[in-house]
């Protein structure tokens, strides 16, 4: 039986890189969730959009150009789409992550969807093993953001995996904010804000399924470089990856300052 939970996902795929995986697992996702809404970037392929709509998935285009400085507004938009469906509970998750999750850990995903229904706000983080599957550039910068979040929240949690379960009450509170956090820092702003509201049930779950999903799309490159370890080592040598991740970390910490 499908759980009364809507999947609200954000998706960017100009080259249909995720399309084969989506075609493999979409039936499984449709069995788990009552509804699925996908907010796509303006450059996402028409072929991908057509495939999703062909399965009666609601697909809308982002109103804001997606980037670390506007991602909070993009997430507000996809929450509003889910709220329009009168969903009692919503699972917010990036499309690439949920594709990997259902393909590799379908039983855990079903358990998580069940847990979402018992909370107003369920922060979905990663086990130590899942966190350690990410490249060094991501582990170091996200660990810093998670640490600073813990200083403000009173408990250090992995809040940077960008997956959440929300009740209708929690969504209403976030969508009623006169000045929502516009940046990727809403990873930290949302739990800090909701924790101050009375009678909301807030929880945390560390998952295996939020391990690093990016290699799913680079099988050919990984094979050419001699395996995943070599490919990840090369990934960590790129200064632009460090610059990007350090910028993300700064947005997270600045949001903590604003919302603590």
């Amino acid at each position: 039986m499908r759980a009364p939970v809507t999947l609200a996902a954000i998706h960017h795929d100009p080259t249909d890189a995720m399309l084969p995986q989506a075609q493999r697992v979409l039936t499984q996702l449709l069995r788990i969730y009552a509804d699925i809404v996908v907010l796509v970037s303006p450059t996402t392929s028409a072929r991908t959009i057509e495939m999703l709509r062909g399965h009666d998935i609601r697909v809308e285009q982002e109103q804001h150009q997606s980037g670390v400085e506007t991602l909070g507004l993009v997430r507000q938009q996809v929450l509003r789409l889910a709220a329009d469906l009168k969903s009692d509970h919503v699972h917010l998750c990036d499309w690439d992550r949920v594709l990997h999750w259902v393909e590799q850990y379908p039983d855990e995903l079903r358990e998580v969807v069940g847990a979402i229904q018992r909370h107003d706000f369920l922060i979905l983080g990663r086990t130590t093993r899942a966190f350690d599957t990410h490249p060094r550039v991501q582990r170091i910068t996200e660990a810093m953001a998670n640490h600073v979040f813990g200083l403000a929240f009173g408990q250090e949690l992995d809040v940077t995996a960008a997956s959440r379960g929300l009740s209708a009450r929690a969504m209403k509170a976030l969508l009623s904010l006169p000045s929502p956090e516009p940046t990727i820092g809403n990873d930290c702003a949302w739990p800090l804000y909701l924790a101050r509201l009375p009678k909301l049930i807030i929880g945390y779950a560390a998952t295996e399924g939020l391990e690093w999903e990016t290699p799913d799309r680079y099988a050919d490159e990984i094979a050419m470089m001699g395996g995943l370890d070599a490919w990840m080592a090369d990934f960590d040598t790129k200064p632009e990856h460090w610059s990007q991740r350090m910028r993300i970390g700064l947005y997270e910490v600045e949001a903590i300052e604003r919302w603590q």
Side-chain angles (χ1 to χ4, degrees), residues 33-240:
Y33 297 99
D35 291 291
I36 299 176
V37 295
V38 180
L39 186 65
V40 299
S41 67
T43 56
T44 291
S45 161
R47 185 179 171 209
T48 286
I49 294 171
E50 181 182 2
M51 186 277 293
L52 294 172
R53 286 178 172 159
H55 287 83
D56 293 327
I57 291 172
R58 181 177 179 184
V59 181
E60 300 288 344
Q61 192 174 93
E62 294 171 1
Q63 295 172 350
H64 305 273
Q65 184 64 42
S66 185
V68 293
E69 69 281 357
T70 58
L71 192 54
L73 299 177
V74 172
R75 290 171 177 165
Q76 290 277 122
Q77 185 184 349
V78 78
L79 275 193
R80 199 170 297 281
L81 291 178
D84 288 346
L85 296 176
K86 309 299 182 185
S87 306
D88 288 336
H89 287 85
V90 167
H91 180 197
L92 177 69
C93 192
D94 290 343
W95 187 243
D96 52 356
R97 281 199 179 273
V98 80
L99 293 181
H100 179 87
W101 204 340
V102 76
E103 187 161 50
Q104 299 299 328
Y105 301 91
D107 292 340
E108 181 188 67
L109 181 59
R110 292 186 189 94
E111 291 175 5
V112 163
V113 169
I116 285 171
Q117 299 170 71
R118 300 190 293 273
H119 295 82
D120 289 296
F121 191 70
L122 181 63
I123 302 166
L124 297 168
R126 291 158 288 194
T127 64
T128 299
R129 185 212 64 82
F131 191 86
D132 287 345
T133 63
H134 294 70
R136 186 166 179 258
V137 59
Q138 197 165 339
R139 297 197 311 271
I140 289 175
T141 52
E142 291 193 14
M144 291 170 60
N146 286 333
H147 175 70
V148 179
F149 171 82
L151 297 176
F153 189 72
Q155 180 182 4
E156 188 165 331
L157 304 173
D158 176 23
V159 295
T160 54
S163 187
R164 305 284 185 267
L166 302 100
S167 71
R169 288 195 300 172
M171 285 192 293
K172 182 178 180 180
L174 293 173
L175 293 173
S176 299
L177 282 169
S179 299
E181 173 59 44
T183 76
I184 194 172
N186 78 329
D187 284 333
C188 304
W190 283 4
L192 288 173
Y193 171 68
L194 291 175
R196 298 198 296 265
L197 302 184
K199 299 182 180 179
L200 290 187
I201 301 170
I202 297 177
Y204 176 78
T207 69
E208 300 289 353
L210 287 172
E211 65 186 7
W212 200 36
E213 81 296 336
T214 301
D216 290 357
R217 306 190 296 280
Y218 293 94
D220 292 343
E221 286 186 23
I222 291 169
M224 286 178 60
M225 294 196 69
L228 181 59
D229 289 344
W231 186 72
M232 287 182 65
D234 180 71
F235 188 96
D236 276 328
T237 66
K238 302 294 194 297
E240 61 269 27

